[in-house]
Amino acid sequence: MRIIYIDVDTLRADHTTPYGYHRPTTPHLQKLADKSVTFDRYYCSDSPCLPSRTALTSGQFGIANGVIGHFGPAAQFRLDAGHGPEPDRPLLGQRLGWGGYYTAAVSVFAERHRAYFFHANFRESIRATDRMGDEEAHDVNHAAIDWLRRHADQDDWYLHLTYWDPHTNYTQPAEWTDRMAACGPVQAWPDEDTIAAHAEIYGPRSALDLHYSAFGAGTSPVPHNMPDAIRSRADFEHLINGYDGAVAYWDHHLGLLLAALEELGIAEDTAVIVSADHGESFGEMGSYAEHGLANEPTHRLPLVFYWPGLTDTLPEPARHNDALLYNIDLAPTLCDLLGMSAPAGWHGTSFADAVRGEPIESREYLVLGHGAHTYQRSVRTRDHLYIRTYHPGCFRAEWEQLFHVTQDPYLTSDLIAREPELAAQMRSHLAEWWNQYAGRPGALPDPMQATLHTGPTYYNDPVSYAAHLRDTGRAHLAEDLEARLATLDIPVSWHAPDRPRTADLLHRWVQLLQTRDQQPVTSDGADRPKP
């Protein structure tokens, strides 16, 4: 079997056609979905990018594999010393390799996040460009289709492709944004009153600080595709048009990739799996164009799963499955479908029966964790979402929240005070899960608890951000942030005085990339000069 796993950074499920989006953003993904199983309740166990992909390829929750964030000890993958992979918990690519599969990737993810263990999944790793992420889809396709042409006459390979287009900043040609703006209205929520109220929600990628980052305030680097801030419905529509344009631009290149499979004569015997590392908030809880919370829009993922000989013969009712699933379930599922045993150290459960069109049992609940912009864990049942904040970072995050997601998909009504029994039950689920993975003899320390004194302050320094709030006439919000951090009884700033701030180094690196790569692209990227 040939397998292509397509990993689309920041692809929000409900902005795609298979998940009922009202705009035609993904016709090529829909064509694939017509012969696939689409999973409606598929979630990343850990977010954002580094924790999610580590969980996916390790088959383990971040609380066990060590990666719950993007910085320092919170981002250190736990590998025992010795020669070769651990037999009870190999990476997905290692397990496939033991089964005779040639594994390859076109992805800059390992370099972007210094996640060099990710390379251990693959015999061959290809960087499409010298950019550290945010590669355009045409560059990824160029490398991917070249690889496919060289391996089309071979069998038993697994190819992982990472696309970045829906991740901010939206760098697609403006025509794609205009196309989405012309094809249908933007969703009605948030309305003007909600957007006005969001001025009191502070934090990077909040309404008034849409482009605030580790090196200070900024304006939109892509004015046609993103506004400077969200002050009105017009700004929100501008933002959504840019995001949808990025999704449509990626989908266009998905179509070219699928056409290449047809041209090579291997489309009918190549499995194609499309998913994401995380989603994106667009106003939920006051967060815009960011994946910084353990909430529904960040953790819910698309999963379109085509497996030749199985999914293409299923009746329509079997093409959708709504069991509560994790992305760590993918690794044992692939092993199951390929007739391989799943290692004992993986935490996921195979959903291969659903790929075969058979019913599967759903979990009672999922536990989801975030550790890059806030430290949060949440519990997702079929209808409800409970969120517990351990460290707010620089974001106005409440310590506990409870939502009825089925009735309140935009997370506007907090039930934590009105539903004490339900809140207690959700806390119990979280405690049960924590005790299973970190509260038993032999378990390694929970990296979220072990790094709580530092917290998720890699991207944004609370001292600098509080000063920014005061400089922009929001002293009351600076005081609120400082008061929340004071309750933790930890230093407000993590930056050591005797070394350059990571933010300053990052700023220099971004400036270098921006000055080097200012060439426009055409709709297919064919005329883009190479650096």
Side-chain angles (χ1 to χ4, degrees), residues 15 21-25 165-166 169-187 222-227 230 233-250 282 289:
H15 278 245
Y21 195 45
H22 66 284
R23 283 177 158 181
T25 49
D165 303 272
N169 300 306
Y170 312 138
T171 60
Q172 74 277 2
E175 65 184 83
W176 291 90
T177 302
D178 295 340
R179 186 179 303 182
M180 287 297 103
C183 72
V186 169
Q187 66 191 45
V222 282
H224 193 86
N225 295 340
M226 291 185 73
I230 307 297
R233 273 290 298 180
D235 290 331
F236 179 74
E237 292 171 5
H238 185 177
L239 178 67
I240 297 301
N241 290 337
Y243 177 78
D244 287 352
V247 173
Y249 181 69
W250 162 75
F282 284 116

Side-chain angles (χ1 to χ4, degrees), residues 248-292:
Y249 181 69
W250 162 75
D251 181 78
H252 168 72
H253 289 86
L254 171 65
L256 297 177
L257 181 77
L258 297 177
L261 296 179
E262 295 282 355
E263 175 193 339
L264 295 169
I266 59 173
E268 300 305 318
D269 54 2
T270 300
V272 180
I273 303 164
V274 179
S275 190
D277 57 340
H278 52 73
E280 191 83 316
S281 292
F282 284 116
E284 293 89 351
M285 303 170 71
S287 176
Y288 289 87
E290 187 56 279
H291 31 271

Side-chain angles (χ1 to χ4, degrees), residues 105-107 124 126-129 135 137-150 159 161 163 257:
V106 178
S107 178
E124 179 183 357
I126 301 167
R127 287 180 60 180
T129 72
E135 297 169 305
H138 60 81
D139 284 323
V140 177
N141 262 16
H142 178 78
I145 293 173
D146 174 69
W147 191 95
L148 289 170
R149 293 189 190 283
R150 290 184 284 110
L159 177 63
L161 306 178
Y163 293 87
L257 181 77

